[in-house]
Amino acid sequence: MAIFRRKEEYYYDDYDYEDNEPIIIEPTEEKKSHRLIRKINILYIIVIIVMLMVTIDVVGVSRYNVGPFFAIKTHTYKDGGSKEYYGFLYKVIKYNEYNGRRDKVVGSWNLKYDVKPIEYNYVSLAINLENNPDETYNKIGNNYIKLTGRVSKVKDNKIIIKYHDDSMSKYNLDITCTMKTKKQVEKNTKITLVGTVYEFKLNNDKPNKLYIKNCLIK
């Protein structure tokens, strides 16, 4: 009986696996440039988002009395619930004193907690705002003040204090104080108010106008 055996075939390649190292393909200059541009774009987007968040909080607190939305609360005072918030390069204090300051202020990280008002008599305030409007408003604008004057008019939750210089008609000033709630106050009553100044209008032919918000009668 014949026995047939299959002829075995062997195949060899000529690659030397011991002497040759793997080939490393370096990225081209074009690919490096694309990666750099991508990183710059991502950084640019992050900066834009952060600046937008800062702008929303600063404008919201200073102009519209809302927020902050993107700052972190770090401290609560035992004065009624005043709070401090820190954001990216800015700080917000929300005052909530018992029978005291109740407004929001924004500034740098060096902003200090301060519930002592700047004190004014409405006559001296009228004279200073007429003679040195910029200097005076820079001092009292967005600041907490204490004002003594005589009630000229009461409308809803607003108390109007007027000073009219009858002799010269030069230092006329109308002060509108917006109260937290409606108050029953008699006309011509002398009162002392605390609140935050938020607007001033210098008029040539009409009385100058000063606006104060979050007012409380002391």
Side-chain angles (χ1 to χ4, degrees), residues 15 20-24:
Y15 187 82
N20 292 279
E21 296 181 355
I23 300 175
I24 300 175

Side-chain angles (χ1 to χ4, degrees), residues 4 23 29 54 67 70 89 99 103 124 127 142 144 150 153 157 170 179 183:
F4 298 93
I23 300 175
E29 291 297 325
V54 172
F70 305 107
L89 301 180
N99 197 31
D103 65 325
S124 62
I127 294 172
N142 296 317
Y144 186 54
R150 195 169 295 277
K153 184 180 179 181
N157 64 329
K170 179 180 180 181
M179 312 297 292
K183 296 290 184 181

Side-chain angles (χ1 to χ4, degrees), residues 145-179:
I145 72 168
K146 183 178 181 180
L147 178 69
T148 300
R150 195 169 295 277
V151 177
S152 175
K153 184 180 179 181
V154 179
K155 183 179 180 181
D156 297 328
N157 64 329
K158 291 182 172 61
I159 294 177
I160 314 298
I161 297 175
K162 294 185 178 183
Y163 173 69
H164 284 191
D165 182 12
D166 295 330
S167 60
M168 300 175 62
S169 298
K170 179 180 180 181
Y171 300 112
N172 295 345
L173 177 65
D174 292 354
I175 304 170
T176 301
C177 304
T178 303
M179 312 297 292

